[in-house]
Amino acid sequence: MALVFEAKVALFEALKAAVPAGVQCTFAETGKSDRRQQVWLGATGDEELAVTAMRQGPRKPTAVTSFVDVHALVILPGDPVGAERAVYGLRDAIVGACRALAPGAVVGLLDVRPESSESETAESTDGAYAALTVRVRIRGRIT
């Protein structure tokens, strides 16, 4: 659905503006952990389509709901508390990017908002890391 893709692209542009300097922001996972702080867009969830009005003709107004996962990763050698603190700072930047995305930015877009988040902190051979996933809900209406 073009609405969901265009909203995802607009969210990516808002993320690039919202994350602090020095944080790598990519549209998809790079597969490399060479950066100490990263944010990227992950999977796009199933769309929920619901006809919102009946009218003659093949095109009916339809409500669209979809999800996109935004991931963040922070690696700090020997400092799990600092890594988790930094990843929560990135969560705030992700929430700010969602708020900054105006409904008029994409035709038919009604709402972009964080729905839930999940974080994990651990220590590895690369150092302490904190990973975060924020599920963002995208709602819109197409005709």
Side-chain angles (χ1 to χ4, degrees), residues 1 58 61 68:
M1 183 119 333
V68 64

Side-chain angles (χ1 to χ4, degrees), residues 4 16 19 33 36 48 56 66 73 86 101 123 126 134:
V4 174
K16 287 194 310 187
V19 297
S33 61
R36 295 289 183 195
E48 184 179 304
Q56 250 181 340
S66 190
L73 177 68
L101 193 57
E123 292 201 52
D126 293 332
V134 178

Side-chain angles (χ1 to χ4, degrees), residues 1 3-4 47-55 57-65 107-110 138-143:
M1 183 119 333
L3 168 68
V4 174
E47 298 169 352
E48 184 179 304
L49 303 173
V51 175
T52 58
M54 296 303 291
R55 68 177 183 201
R59 298 186 62 119
K60 313 274 189 260
T62 304
V64 177
T65 302
V107 175
L109 183 64
L110 297 175
I138 298 170
R139 287 185 326 114
R141 185 176 168 141
I142 57 173
T143 52

Side-chain angles (χ1 to χ4, degrees), residues 30-92:
T30 62
K32 300 176 186 175
S33 61
D34 56 346
R35 291 291 182 115
R36 295 289 183 195
Q37 295 189 32
Q38 305 175 48
V39 174
W40 69 92
L41 297 176
T44 303
D46 289 338
E47 298 169 352
E48 184 179 304
L49 303 173
V51 175
T52 58
M54 296 303 291
R55 68 177 183 201
Q56 250 181 340
R59 298 186 62 119
K60 313 274 189 260
T62 304
V64 177
T65 302
S66 190
F67 297 92
V68 64
D69 290 334
V70 181
H71 301 281
L73 177 68
V74 174
I75 300 172
L76 289 177
D79 189 4
V81 173
E84 190 161 349
R85 180 175 289 121
V87 87
Y88 279 111
L90 291 178
R91 184 186 70 176
D92 292 343

